[in-house]
Amino acid sequence: MVDNCYGELVEKREPGHVGANVVVGSLMKNLGGGIATSGGYIAGDTKYIEMIADRLTSPGVGKELGANFNQNSNFFKGVFMAPNAVKSALKTQIFAAYMLQKMGFNEISPKYDEKRTDIIQIIELKTKKNLVAFARSIQASSPVDSGVYIMPAPMPGYPCDVIMAAGCFTEGSTIELSADAPCVEPYTLYMQGGLTYEYGKLSIMQALSSVLKEINK
């Protein structure tokens, strides 16, 4: 079984093409296209899908019935738009990696010209001030809650303060541009998404400008 969250439509082949019996993921990420407001998917070999469906609902009922929260229309619209959303997210992250390397932030993964297997960009920002400035700029350029002044804060499950930036049209959808980081050395930020390249590019430029201001203080 493969959890392919953040990886759908990034490579030419999906896990099922190379031997995975079951593939699972979230519709709040790639395949939801920024439209689905909830949900996930399970795909794979017939016999395993039938077993899983019986477990999630009841034997004999399986995947013929089950909760969909009246989301079917959003699910299908999201899947339809997903290829373009994933393309924009990849372009946004490649642009961010390129600009960060030009600014001397070389501890990033993947580099702008490296192969990508998902829509996540990992960035080491060297100092807490750089990290906070970058995350706050992502929040400030978000379509929703852009006026929220985010701060590092405790979060269940983490041994340190965490800062999170995400002001999404579809709340919680991380195919939309978002970023989060534990506020400890080496101050590594995890950024993903970007529903449109144009919006993603503007957000990254604003974030990098904020980091430059911190560096030049």
Side-chain angles (χ1 to χ4, degrees), residues 26-75:
S26 167
L27 294 179
M28 297 298 284
K29 301 176 175 63
N30 298 26
L31 284 188
I35 296 173
T37 60
S38 182
Y41 70 89
I42 302 169
D45 297 347
T46 300
K47 67 175 182 178
Y48 297 119
I49 297 303
E50 289 178 351
M51 292 167 60
I52 293 166
D54 283 347
R55 178 71 174 180
L56 291 175
T57 55
S58 65
V61 175
K63 60 187 177 66
E64 300 306 317
L65 293 173
N68 60 37
F69 306 107
N70 295 318
Q71 286 282 313
N72 280 346
S73 176
N74 288 338
F75 292 161

Side-chain angles (χ1 to χ4, degrees), residues 105-210:
F105 292 95
N106 294 313
E107 297 302 316
I108 62 175
S109 179
K111 302 288 196 297
Y112 81 91
D113 55 352
E114 290 180 334
K115 180 180 178 180
R116 290 175 182 262
T117 59
D118 54 45
I119 61 166
I120 300 172
Q121 181 66 50
I122 302 172
I123 310 162
E124 286 189 15
L125 287 162
K126 300 180 180 180
T127 70
K128 183 177 180 179
K129 288 184 177 180
N130 290 346
L131 176 67
V132 172
F134 194 104
R136 282 178 177 163
S137 288
I138 296 295
Q139 183 71 39
S141 62
S142 295
V144 179
D145 291 334
S146 59
V148 173
Y149 189 75
I150 60 172
M151 300 177 66
M155 182 171 289
Y158 289 84
C160 59
D161 286 350
V162 174
I163 191 165
M164 304 189 75
C168 307
F169 286 116
T170 302
E171 188 173 355
S173 176
T174 46
I175 189 65
E176 300 189 45
L177 188 62
S178 60
D180 53 88
C183 293
V184 292
E185 292 185 84
Y187 300 107
T188 303
L189 180 130
Y190 300 86
M191 183 170 63
Q192 54 274 324
L195 272 181
T196 68
Y197 174 59
E198 293 78 11
Y199 156 64
K201 185 175 182 179
L202 288 170
S203 298
I204 298 303
M205 291 172 66
Q206 180 171 313
L208 295 178
S209 295
S210 296

Side-chain angles (χ1 to χ4, degrees), residues 73-84:
S73 176
N74 288 338
F75 292 161
F76 287 113
K77 287 177 183 177
V79 170
F80 184 79
M81 295 301 296
N84 193 62

